[in-house]
Amino acid sequence: MELLLRLAAVALVAAAFVAADGTGTLSPSFYDATCPGLQPAVRRGVAQAVKKEARMGASLLRLFFHDCFVQGCDASILLDDTANFTGEKSAAPNANSLRGYEVIDAIKAEVEASCKATVSCADIVALAARDAVNLLGGPSWPVLLGRRDALMTTKAAAEDSLPSPTSRLPQLLHSFSKKGLNARDLVALSGAHSVGMAHCSNFREHVYKDTKINMTYAAQLRAKVCPFVGGDDNLAPLELQKPDKFDNGFFNDVITGQVLLRTDQELLGSSGSHGTTDALVREYAANADRFAAEFAMAMIKLGNMAVQDGEVRLNCRRPN
């Protein structure tokens, strides 16, 4: 019952964002008349991908985050390099790491077959992230729709905007603040690491140099997954117990010092004015319903970095 009440509040938050949108175009019902089969088509595509490989759900969620953090939710992350620009795919936070492009391509092709030149790639990415979370056992939420796709992007924009996996808490808070996101949003969205895996290259510094990590856990990672030299692409789960189920177990791992990324461990035990994140970590670890609802609200807020300037790409990988 508590979760239902909290998710009802999420729907009200979405309605508030619609009312606050100056263009009046962002709405969960944006395609109801022009492409009524959109949301079932996206869910089918995501369900097929997740059934084949549960980790793909986490990858689609990450794709949305990396898209929105760079010049807004405009599908710029999907653009291949052209003669005019080098895109985001080769940026350090994305190269050999982001996945799911083919899943979005397949969904876009199905949507184009029934609703030609109608649905933006950015909206498909947003819907896919929501459905991925829900199919892995997490909450659902009303996705605001009506975005447009970027005409170009740059590698530098991604490297300037995306947080590093080695960032300290003040850097993380500053990075999120620049996007209009607060400490609660940071902690809630970090809960996305309840699912998925990370490469050794992204957590080597944490397991070899940081003192806040559980030393037994660090020793196991050093011995089995992440040598001091080599093995950059070796994978380990971001959550210990249920890495393919979206739940609040990640926050218990933070409390016990058993998370892969420095950015995740930074949420607990930082001194000074940033201690507020400690309370949020413990709050979400103790209350799965609260985490689910506040994650959904943070995703709506993140997705509201929408772009109405641009186009509806026919191919998500290149401008029309």
Side-chain angles (χ1 to χ4, degrees), residues 105-248:
D105 288 342
I107 295 171
K108 175 66 171 175
E110 181 178 347
V111 171
E112 282 294 308
S114 57
C115 310
K116 188 169 180 61
T118 300
V119 179
S120 68
C121 299
D123 281 341
I124 290 174
V125 171
L127 288 167
R130 186 271 310 275
D131 290 342
V133 169
N134 187 237
L135 287 163
L136 292 175
S140 185
W141 57 90
V143 176
L144 305 182
L145 303 168
R147 300 167 182 81
R148 289 294 178 263
D149 299 324
L151 301 175
M152 68 165 294
T153 187
T154 65
K155 176 181 178 180
E159 293 182 338
D160 288 344
S161 299
L162 290 166
S164 163
T166 61
S167 295
R168 298 296 187 181
L169 185 58
Q171 294 170 299
L172 292 171
L173 289 166
H174 178 67
S175 178
F176 273 64
S177 177
K178 288 195 299 183
K179 304 298 179 182
L181 302 170
N182 59 29
R184 186 171 288 271
D185 299 320
L186 165 63
V187 179
L189 291 170
S190 295
H193 291 164
S194 168
V195 291
M197 306 186 83
H199 289 103
C200 166
S201 57
N202 286 324
F203 59 82
R204 177 180 283 116
E205 184 172 338
H206 180 47
V207 301
Y208 279 93
K209 296 182 179 180
D210 286 346
T211 58
K212 290 198 287 185
I213 192 171
N214 179 291
M215 289 298 112
T216 300
Y217 173 65
Q220 291 171 345
L221 290 169
R222 291 195 295 262
K224 298 179 179 180
V225 182
C226 195
F228 191 74
V229 178
D232 285 3
D233 292 333
N234 293 349
L235 292 167
L238 286 162
E239 185 193 304
L240 280 175
Q241 302 304 319
K242 299 176 182 177
D244 292 332
K245 180 175 174 56
F246 192 96
D247 58 19
N248 66 331

Side-chain angles (χ1 to χ4, degrees), residues 261-305:
L261 304 180
R262 172 186 284 173
T263 50
D264 292 337
Q265 196 59 61
E266 280 289 298
L267 300 177
L268 188 77
S270 293
S271 60
S273 61
H274 307 300
T276 181
T277 58
D278 289 30
L280 293 168
V281 168
R282 298 185 188 281
E283 180 181 328
Y284 294 151
N287 193 323
D289 286 351
R290 177 165 295 177
F291 163 60
E294 296 196 359
F295 177 84
M297 286 191 283
M299 286 292 283
I300 292 171
K301 195 172 177 181
L302 176 65
N304 202 46
M305 297 180 197

